[in-house]
Amino acid sequence: MKPRENLVRLKQFQVNEKRRRMAQLDSMIAEFDRMAAELDAQITSEETKAGITDLNHFAYPTFAKAARLRRDNLRTSQAELVEQRKSAEAELSEAEAELAKAEALENRDGRGRQDAAASRAMTG
């Protein structure tokens, strides 16, 4: 296997790894969104049962307070994941550009070898 082929394979691996990372981040963001929506429903349910929606009321349901805190933490984590995804997207674009360069080099080298072999065959 030639060095350029190794380079192309390495770059392809890096691109695939970055795509997997993006898929993981997308999955986690969606899961956090789903969990936060479930917590919203539970909070609404608890507030409806208690008949109290004022967070500062002394009889506000403890479960609703805890669920709100958890939901807010999930939203914060989700926002951090969105930032990570933006960074991963930039890394993926960069890796794809590097792969394209490596493939172009390999194609150029491959054609150069083919042209040299053809000219040797014609003269030989």
Side-chain angles (χ1 to χ4, degrees):
M1 188 175 273
K2 300 187 180 48
R4 298 262 191 226
E5 291 173 4
N6 287 336
L7 179 64
V8 170
R9 288 183 60 191
L10 173 65
K11 297 299 179 184
Q12 185 63 50
F13 175 79
Q14 290 173 342
V15 166
N16 290 339
E17 192 62 31
K18 304 230 183 280
R19 285 182 181 148
R20 277 191 288 277
R21 178 72 177 138
M22 292 275 295
Q24 281 180 328
L25 288 170
D26 288 340
S27 174
M28 290 170 65
I29 290 168
E31 180 66 13
F32 282 12
D33 193 42
R34 184 193 60 76
M35 291 167 60
E38 285 179 7
L39 287 170
D40 276 335
Q42 290 175 356
I43 292 166
T44 302
S45 173
E46 284 294 313
E47 288 176 347
T48 302
K49 280 185 207 174
I52 301 169
T53 57
D54 181 15
L55 209 56
N56 297 319
H57 192 277
F58 72 93
Y60 188 80
T62 306
F63 177 79
K65 280 183 185 176
R68 275 184 187 277
L69 181 61
R70 185 163 179 230
R71 183 207 51 206
D72 293 345
N73 288 340
L74 280 171
R75 294 288 185 204
T76 301
S77 296
Q78 185 181 24
E80 291 170 4
L81 287 175
V82 167
E83 289 302 314
Q84 286 180 24
R85 188 188 185 290
K86 288 178 185 175
S87 173
E89 195 169 18
E91 290 174 13
L92 175 61
S93 295
E94 184 179 316
E96 286 174 336
E98 289 176 9
L99 173 62
K101 286 179 191 175
E103 287 174 339
L105 279 173
E106 169 144 30
N107 288 340
R108 186 192 69 191
D109 287 353
R111 272 183 296 196
R113 283 191 294 270
Q114 289 171 354
D115 291 345
S119 67
R120 279 193 303 265
M122 294 171 97
T123 59

